[in-house]
Amino acid sequence: MSGFLAELLEKEVQKEVKKELQKEVQKELQKELQKKCNEIAISKICKMIELGYSKEDILKLDYTNAEYDLALEKVSPKNVL
């Protein structure tokens, strides 16, 4: 009977470890996805700045001040109208 209990316990531990690993993988994927989305947003804002959009117009499109500031740093001063 003790062999059966040990095997059952081992299976339960393996299930828990698998759940925890899946949670960690999911968190890492979320971080990577968010990072990629932020990069895309900054890239789009850079293009809008280069095209002459005002800060107010860009912020009306649901971008944040922080995103705008990062994009502004990436755009060379000669491209800003």
Side-chain angles (χ1 to χ4, degrees), residues 45-55 58 68 71-81:
I45 296 170
C46 286
K47 189 65 174 174
M48 286 187 271
I49 292 170
E50 291 169 351
L51 291 171
Y53 283 61
S54 69
K55 179 179 181 177
I58 292 171
Y68 179 84
L72 195 57
E73 289 176 16
K74 291 186 174 230
V75 177
S76 67
K78 65 182 177 187
N79 291 334
V80 180
L81 299 177

Side-chain angles (χ1 to χ4, degrees), residues 54-70:
S54 69
K55 179 179 181 177
E56 292 78 24
D57 287 339
I58 292 171
L59 295 179
K60 285 178 187 175
L61 297 171
D62 292 329
Y63 293 107
T64 66
N65 275 307
E67 290 170 328
Y68 179 84
D69 292 340
L70 284 171

Side-chain angles (χ1 to χ4, degrees), residues 9-67:
L9 181 60
E10 184 178 336
K11 286 182 181 181
E12 285 301 313
V13 169
Q14 287 175 351
K15 281 183 190 177
E16 289 301 314
V17 168
K18 185 177 179 181
K19 283 181 189 178
E20 288 301 315
L21 285 173
Q22 286 174 335
K23 287 179 187 177
E24 289 301 315
V25 168
Q26 187 66 27
K27 284 180 188 177
E28 287 302 314
L29 289 173
Q30 268 312 97
K31 286 180 188 177
E32 288 299 315
L33 180 60
Q34 186 62 48
K35 184 178 175 182
K36 190 65 175 171
C37 287
N38 289 345
E39 290 172 3
I40 291 169
I42 301 304
S43 175
K44 287 181 177 185
I45 296 170
C46 286
K47 189 65 174 174
M48 286 187 271
I49 292 170
E50 291 169 351
L51 291 171
Y53 283 61
S54 69
K55 179 179 181 177
E56 292 78 24
D57 287 339
I58 292 171
L59 295 179
K60 285 178 187 175
L61 297 171
D62 292 329
Y63 293 107
T64 66
N65 275 307
E67 290 170 328

